[in-house]
Amino acid sequence: MSQALNKIKTRIKSVSGAYKVTSAMKLVSTIKLKTWKNKMLGNKEYQNSLSEVVDQILLCSEKVKSPFIKINENNKKKLFIVVSSTLGLCGSYNQNIFKVGDTVISDADTAIILGSKGVAHYHDAKFEILPGFENYNGSQDSASIKLISNFIINEFEKGNFGEVHILYSEYKNSLTFIPKDYKLLPVISSKEETLDYPPIMEPSQKELINELIPLYVRGQIHAKLLESSVCEEASRSNAMENATNNAKDILDELKIEFNKTRQGAITQEIIEIVSASKSV
Protein backbone atom coordinates (compact mmCIF):
# COMPACT_ATOMS: atom_id res chain seq x y z
CA MET A 1 0.00 0.00 0.00
CA SER A 2 2.91 2.35 0.76
CA GLN A 3 4.22 1.82 -2.77
CA ALA A 4 0.89 2.97 -4.22
CA LEU A 5 0.97 6.07 -2.01
CA ASN A 6 4.53 6.91 -3.07
CA LYS A 7 3.58 6.49 -6.71
CA ILE A 8 0.65 8.89 -6.35
CA LYS A 9 2.85 11.38 -4.46
CA THR A 10 5.36 11.30 -7.34
CA ARG A 11 2.61 11.96 -9.88
CA ILE A 12 1.22 14.83 -7.78
CA LYS A 13 4.68 16.40 -7.59
CA SER A 14 5.15 16.07 -11.34
CA VAL A 15 1.75 17.52 -12.24
CA SER A 16 2.21 20.34 -9.69
CA GLY A 17 5.42 21.34 -11.45
CA ALA A 18 3.65 21.39 -14.82
CA TYR A 19 0.81 23.42 -13.29
CA LYS A 20 3.25 26.08 -12.05
CA VAL A 21 4.97 26.28 -15.45
CA THR A 22 1.76 26.59 -17.48
CA SER A 23 0.35 29.16 -15.03
CA ALA A 24 3.47 31.31 -15.39
CA MET A 25 3.46 30.99 -19.19
CA LYS A 26 -0.21 31.92 -19.32
CA LEU A 27 0.51 35.07 -17.31
CA VAL A 28 3.39 36.04 -19.61
CA SER A 29 1.31 35.38 -22.75
CA THR A 30 -1.58 37.45 -21.40
CA ILE A 31 0.72 40.43 -20.78
CA LYS A 32 2.29 40.08 -24.25
CA LEU A 33 -1.17 39.78 -25.82
CA LYS A 34 -2.25 43.07 -24.25
CA THR A 35 0.96 44.77 -25.46
CA TRP A 36 0.66 43.53 -29.04
CA LYS A 37 -3.05 44.26 -29.17
CA ASN A 38 -2.47 47.90 -28.17
CA LYS A 39 0.20 48.21 -30.88
CA MET A 40 -2.12 46.67 -33.47
CA LEU A 41 -5.01 48.98 -32.60
CA GLY A 42 -2.71 52.02 -32.62
CA ASN A 43 -1.42 51.11 -36.08
CA LYS A 44 -4.88 50.26 -37.43
CA GLU A 45 -6.13 53.84 -37.56
CA TYR A 46 -3.11 54.94 -39.57
CA GLN A 47 -3.38 52.02 -41.98
CA ASN A 48 -7.12 52.53 -42.50
CA SER A 49 -6.54 56.21 -43.33
CA LEU A 50 -3.78 55.30 -45.77
CA SER A 51 -6.00 52.65 -47.40
CA GLU A 52 -8.76 55.22 -47.83
CA VAL A 53 -6.38 57.60 -49.61
CA VAL A 54 -5.09 54.82 -51.87
CA ASP A 55 -8.64 53.76 -52.77
CA GLN A 56 -9.59 57.30 -53.77
CA ILE A 57 -6.49 57.69 -55.93
CA LEU A 58 -6.97 54.34 -57.67
CA LEU A 59 -10.60 55.17 -58.50
CA CYS A 60 -9.49 57.99 -60.77
CA SER A 61 -6.22 56.48 -62.07
CA GLU A 62 -7.49 53.88 -64.52
CA LYS A 63 -5.39 55.27 -67.38
CA VAL A 64 -2.17 55.42 -65.38
CA LYS A 65 0.41 52.80 -66.42
CA SER A 66 2.11 51.58 -63.26
CA PRO A 67 3.32 48.03 -62.48
CA PHE A 68 1.90 48.37 -58.99
CA ILE A 69 -1.75 48.64 -60.08
CA LYS A 70 -1.84 46.62 -63.30
CA ILE A 71 -2.17 42.84 -63.55
CA ASN A 72 0.85 41.31 -65.27
CA GLU A 73 -0.65 38.97 -67.85
CA ASN A 74 2.80 37.78 -68.96
CA ASN A 75 3.81 36.37 -65.59
CA LYS A 76 1.55 34.04 -63.59
CA LYS A 77 4.18 33.27 -60.97
CA LYS A 78 3.19 34.24 -57.43
CA LEU A 79 5.25 35.16 -54.40
CA PHE A 80 3.87 34.17 -50.99
CA ILE A 81 4.98 35.50 -47.61
CA VAL A 82 4.10 32.83 -45.04
CA VAL A 83 3.94 34.15 -41.45
CA SER A 84 4.51 31.47 -38.81
CA SER A 85 5.90 31.53 -35.27
CA THR A 86 9.39 30.90 -33.97
CA LEU A 87 8.23 29.78 -30.52
CA GLY A 88 5.96 26.81 -29.87
CA LEU A 89 3.15 26.09 -27.43
CA CYS A 90 0.66 28.22 -29.38
CA GLY A 91 -2.04 25.66 -30.12
CA SER A 92 -3.20 25.36 -33.73
CA TYR A 93 -1.86 28.78 -34.77
CA ASN A 94 0.80 27.43 -37.13
CA GLN A 95 -1.18 24.47 -38.42
CA ASN A 96 -4.02 26.73 -39.56
CA ILE A 97 -1.57 28.82 -41.61
CA PHE A 98 0.04 25.70 -43.07
CA LYS A 99 -3.34 24.34 -44.17
CA VAL A 100 -3.97 27.50 -46.19
CA GLY A 101 -0.41 27.49 -47.55
CA ASP A 102 -0.64 23.86 -48.65
CA THR A 103 -3.81 24.75 -50.55
CA VAL A 104 -2.86 27.99 -52.34
CA ILE A 105 0.90 27.64 -52.98
CA SER A 106 1.66 25.64 -56.12
CA ASP A 107 4.97 24.04 -57.10
CA ALA A 108 5.61 26.83 -59.64
CA ASP A 109 5.35 29.59 -57.02
CA THR A 110 7.95 31.13 -54.73
CA ALA A 111 7.73 31.73 -50.99
CA ILE A 112 9.35 33.71 -48.20
CA ILE A 113 8.98 31.76 -44.95
CA LEU A 114 8.98 33.78 -41.72
CA GLY A 115 9.38 31.93 -38.43
CA SER A 116 11.29 28.73 -37.62
CA LYS A 117 8.11 26.65 -37.44
CA GLY A 118 7.33 27.49 -41.05
CA VAL A 119 10.91 26.78 -42.12
CA ALA A 120 10.71 23.34 -40.48
CA HIS A 121 7.32 22.59 -42.04
CA TYR A 122 8.36 23.53 -45.59
CA HIS A 123 11.93 22.22 -45.50
CA ASP A 124 11.15 19.67 -48.23
CA ALA A 125 8.60 21.73 -50.19
CA LYS A 126 8.65 21.48 -53.99
CA PHE A 127 8.19 25.21 -54.53
CA GLU A 128 11.12 27.64 -54.32
CA ILE A 129 11.90 29.12 -50.90
CA LEU A 130 13.91 32.33 -51.00
CA PRO A 131 16.90 32.45 -48.61
CA GLY A 132 18.03 35.46 -46.62
CA PHE A 133 14.96 35.94 -44.42
CA GLU A 134 15.73 33.35 -41.73
CA ASN A 135 16.70 36.03 -39.18
CA TYR A 136 13.18 37.46 -38.98
CA ASN A 137 12.42 37.99 -35.28
CA GLY A 138 8.78 39.02 -35.14
CA SER A 139 6.82 42.15 -35.98
CA GLN A 140 9.13 44.28 -33.82
CA ASP A 141 12.02 43.47 -36.18
CA SER A 142 11.91 46.67 -38.26
CA ALA A 143 15.12 45.81 -40.16
CA SER A 144 13.71 42.53 -41.45
CA ILE A 145 10.36 44.13 -42.33
CA LYS A 146 12.17 46.83 -44.33
CA LEU A 147 14.24 44.16 -46.09
CA ILE A 148 11.14 42.14 -47.01
CA SER A 149 9.20 45.20 -48.17
CA ASN A 150 12.01 46.55 -50.36
CA PHE A 151 12.63 43.13 -51.86
CA ILE A 152 9.07 42.41 -52.94
CA ILE A 153 8.50 45.97 -54.23
CA ASN A 154 11.67 45.84 -56.35
CA GLU A 155 11.01 42.33 -57.64
CA PHE A 156 7.40 43.10 -58.50
CA GLU A 157 8.36 46.34 -60.24
CA LYS A 158 10.84 44.38 -62.37
CA GLY A 159 8.04 42.00 -63.39
CA ASN A 160 9.56 38.91 -61.75
CA PHE A 161 6.23 38.08 -60.08
CA GLY A 162 2.66 38.46 -61.26
CA GLU A 163 1.21 38.65 -57.76
CA VAL A 164 2.46 38.98 -54.17
CA HIS A 165 0.44 37.45 -51.32
CA ILE A 166 0.86 37.29 -47.56
CA LEU A 167 -0.52 34.39 -45.50
CA TYR A 168 -1.25 35.67 -42.00
CA SER A 169 -3.76 35.28 -39.15
CA GLU A 170 -6.63 37.75 -38.90
CA TYR A 171 -7.61 38.70 -35.36
CA LYS A 172 -11.32 38.61 -34.52
CA ASN A 173 -11.18 38.26 -30.75
CA SER A 174 -9.04 36.51 -28.13
CA LEU A 175 -10.60 33.16 -29.03
CA THR A 176 -11.05 33.50 -32.79
CA PHE A 177 -8.34 34.14 -35.38
CA ILE A 178 -8.69 33.17 -39.02
CA PRO A 179 -5.84 32.32 -41.45
CA LYS A 180 -6.01 34.62 -44.47
CA ASP A 181 -4.52 34.82 -47.94
CA TYR A 182 -4.19 38.57 -48.63
CA LYS A 183 -3.01 39.92 -52.00
CA LEU A 184 -0.50 42.74 -51.54
CA LEU A 185 0.34 43.40 -55.20
CA PRO A 186 -0.98 44.49 -57.60
CA VAL A 187 -3.00 46.96 -55.54
CA ILE A 188 -6.67 47.09 -56.56
CA SER A 189 -9.21 49.50 -55.13
CA SER A 190 -11.71 47.91 -52.75
CA LYS A 191 -14.36 50.39 -53.93
CA GLU A 192 -16.32 50.24 -57.17
CA GLU A 193 -18.10 53.60 -57.17
CA THR A 194 -16.71 56.57 -59.06
CA LEU A 195 -15.81 59.93 -57.53
CA ASP A 196 -17.92 62.94 -58.58
CA TYR A 197 -15.10 65.28 -57.62
CA PRO A 198 -11.75 63.52 -58.12
CA PRO A 199 -8.82 64.84 -56.06
CA ILE A 200 -6.15 67.04 -57.59
CA MET A 201 -2.88 65.10 -57.68
CA GLU A 202 0.51 66.78 -57.63
CA PRO A 203 2.98 66.47 -59.26
CA SER A 204 1.16 63.79 -61.36
CA GLN A 205 -0.99 60.70 -60.92
CA LYS A 206 1.78 58.31 -61.97
CA GLU A 207 4.43 59.84 -59.71
CA LEU A 208 2.05 59.92 -56.78
CA ILE A 209 1.09 56.26 -57.28
CA ASN A 210 4.71 55.15 -57.64
CA GLU A 211 5.58 56.90 -54.37
CA LEU A 212 2.44 56.08 -52.40
CA ILE A 213 1.97 52.39 -53.29
CA PRO A 214 5.35 51.25 -51.86
CA LEU A 215 4.54 53.15 -48.64
CA TYR A 216 1.12 51.50 -48.58
CA VAL A 217 2.57 48.01 -49.16
CA ARG A 218 5.14 48.45 -46.37
CA GLY A 219 2.35 49.56 -44.06
CA GLN A 220 0.22 46.56 -45.00
CA ILE A 221 3.07 44.14 -44.34
CA HIS A 222 3.73 45.70 -40.94
CA ALA A 223 0.00 45.65 -40.10
CA LYS A 224 -0.39 41.97 -41.06
CA LEU A 225 2.69 40.97 -39.07
CA LEU A 226 1.40 42.88 -36.04
CA GLU A 227 -1.96 41.14 -36.33
CA SER A 228 -0.24 37.76 -36.60
CA SER A 229 1.73 38.51 -33.42
CA VAL A 230 -1.52 39.28 -31.59
CA CYS A 231 -3.06 36.02 -32.83
CA GLU A 232 0.05 34.05 -31.84
CA GLU A 233 0.02 35.35 -28.27
CA ALA A 234 -3.76 34.88 -28.01
CA SER A 235 -3.41 31.30 -29.19
CA ARG A 236 -0.55 30.66 -26.76
CA SER A 237 -2.51 32.22 -23.89
CA ASN A 238 -5.49 29.99 -24.66
CA ALA A 239 -3.29 26.90 -24.94
CA MET A 240 -1.62 27.61 -21.60
CA GLU A 241 -4.98 28.30 -19.95
CA ASN A 242 -6.30 24.95 -21.18
CA ALA A 243 -3.13 23.20 -20.03
CA THR A 244 -3.39 24.87 -16.60
CA ASN A 245 -7.02 23.84 -16.24
CA ASN A 246 -6.21 20.26 -17.27
CA ALA A 247 -3.34 20.11 -14.77
CA LYS A 248 -5.65 21.39 -12.03
CA ASP A 249 -8.25 18.73 -12.86
CA ILE A 250 -5.60 16.00 -12.77
CA LEU A 251 -4.31 17.30 -9.43
CA ASP A 252 -7.81 17.20 -7.95
CA GLU A 253 -8.28 13.61 -9.14
CA LEU A 254 -4.88 12.55 -7.82
CA LYS A 255 -5.59 14.11 -4.41
CA ILE A 256 -8.89 12.22 -4.19
CA GLU A 257 -7.13 9.01 -5.23
CA PHE A 258 -4.37 9.65 -2.66
CA ASN A 259 -6.89 10.20 0.15
CA LYS A 260 -8.78 7.03 -0.78
CA THR A 261 -5.58 4.99 -0.89
CA ARG A 262 -4.37 6.41 2.42
CA GLN A 263 -7.74 5.76 4.04
CA GLY A 264 -7.65 2.22 2.70
CA ALA A 265 -4.16 1.74 4.17
CA ILE A 266 -5.30 3.05 7.57
CA THR A 267 -8.37 0.82 7.52
CA GLN A 268 -6.23 -2.20 6.62
CA GLU A 269 -3.85 -1.49 9.49
CA ILE A 270 -6.75 -1.17 11.95
CA ILE A 271 -8.19 -4.47 10.75
CA GLU A 272 -4.82 -6.17 11.16
CA ILE A 273 -4.41 -4.75 14.70
CA VAL A 274 -7.93 -5.83 15.75
CA SER A 275 -7.45 -9.29 14.25
CA ALA A 276 -4.13 -9.70 16.05
CA SER A 277 -5.62 -8.61 19.41
CA LYS A 278 -8.47 -11.13 19.08
CA SER A 279 -6.10 -13.98 18.37
CA VAL A 280 -4.14 -13.34 21.58
Side-chain angles (χ1 to χ4, degrees):
M1 190 65 72
S2 61
Q3 291 181 352
L5 287 173
N6 290 333
K7 185 177 180 180
I8 296 174
K9 284 182 179 179
T10 302
R11 289 189 63 193
I12 289 176
K13 185 178 180 180
S14 176
V15 176
S16 296
Y19 176 81
K20 292 177 181 178
V21 171
T22 55
S23 298
M25 293 185 68
K26 177 183 177 298
L27 180 60
V28 172
S29 296
T30 301
I31 295 173
K32 286 184 176 181
L33 172 60
K34 185 177 180 180
T35 301
W36 285 118
K37 190 175 179 180
N38 289 337
K39 290 182 179 180
M40 180 190 73
L41 294 176
N43 181 72
K44 205 165 195 177
E45 185 174 351
Y46 162 78
Q47 196 60 34
N48 289 341
S49 299
L50 183 58
S51 299
E52 182 69 24
V53 172
V54 171
D55 281 339
Q56 291 185 10
I57 293 175
L58 293 180
L59 284 175
C60 52
S61 303
E62 296 180 356
K63 297 181 180 180
V64 176
K65 293 182 179 180
S66 172
F68 297 122
I69 62 175
K70 298 296 181 182
I71 298 175
N72 188 353
E73 299 291 348
N74 299 323
N75 193 343
K76 300 296 183 181
K77 189 175 183 181
K78 299 178 182 178
L79 172 63
F80 288 89
I81 303 172
V82 182
V83 185
S84 67
S85 71
T86 296
L87 301 177
L89 301 175
C90 51
S92 59
Y93 169 79
N94 289 307
Q95 292 303 319
N96 291 336
I97 288 291
F98 298 153
K99 286 179 183 178
V100 176
D102 295 340
T103 301
V104 300
I105 305 176
S106 67
D107 295 345
D109 294 328
T110 303
I112 294 174
I113 310 298
L114 303 181
S116 61
K117 298 300 180 182
V119 172
H121 179 79
Y122 290 112
H123 73 281
D124 58 349
K126 295 181 180 179
F127 54 82
E128 180 186 7
I129 297 178
L130 296 176
F133 302 96
E134 296 83 3
N135 294 328
Y136 171 74
N137 192 31
S139 55
Q140 78 279 7
D141 189 353
S142 57
S144 293
I145 294 174
K146 183 178 180 180
L147 176 66
I148 295 167
S149 302
N150 291 340
F151 175 81
I152 66 171
I153 289 170
N154 293 334
E155 292 297 307
F156 188 82
E157 192 173 12
K158 293 176 183 177
N160 293 334
F161 298 103
E163 292 181 6
V164 178
H165 294 243
I166 182 168
L167 304 184
Y168 76 106
S169 297
E170 181 183 25
Y171 180 82
K172 292 294 184 182
N173 53 57
S174 297
L175 297 175
T176 306
F177 10 89
I178 304 170
K180 288 284 186 178
D181 174 13
Y182 181 82
K183 184 163 70 174
L184 288 169
L185 290 168
V187 179
I188 300 174
S189 176
S190 59
K191 298 180 180 180
E192 297 180 357
E193 71 274 10
T194 58
L195 296 177
D196 296 331
Y197 302 97
I200 298 174
M201 303 184 198
E202 294 290 346
S204 68
Q205 288 181 329
K206 185 175 181 180
E207 289 184 50
L208 184 58
I209 287 174
N210 288 337
E211 289 293 330
L212 184 61
I213 295 301
L215 177 64
Y216 169 77
V217 171
R218 293 187 186 99
Q220 284 288 9
I221 292 174
H222 184 219
K224 303 311 180 190
L225 293 177
L226 268 177
E227 199 164 356
S228 292
S229 295
V230 174
C231 294
E232 179 186 344
E233 292 303 335
S235 181
R236 183 172 291 112
S237 178
N238 293 336
M240 291 301 99
E241 182 176 5
N242 292 334
T244 301
N245 292 337
N246 290 338
K248 186 177 183 303
D249 292 340
I250 294 173
L251 278 176
D252 292 340
E253 293 175 0
L254 287 174
K255 288 177 181 178
I256 293 173
E257 183 180 354
F258 177 81
N259 292 333
K260 286 182 178 179
T261 304
R262 186 179 62 177
Q263 185 62 46
I266 294 173
T267 303
Q268 181 65 31
E269 290 178 1
I270 292 174
I271 292 174
E272 291 176 356
I273 292 173
V274 172
S275 300
S277 63
K278 288 182 178 181
S279 62
V280 175

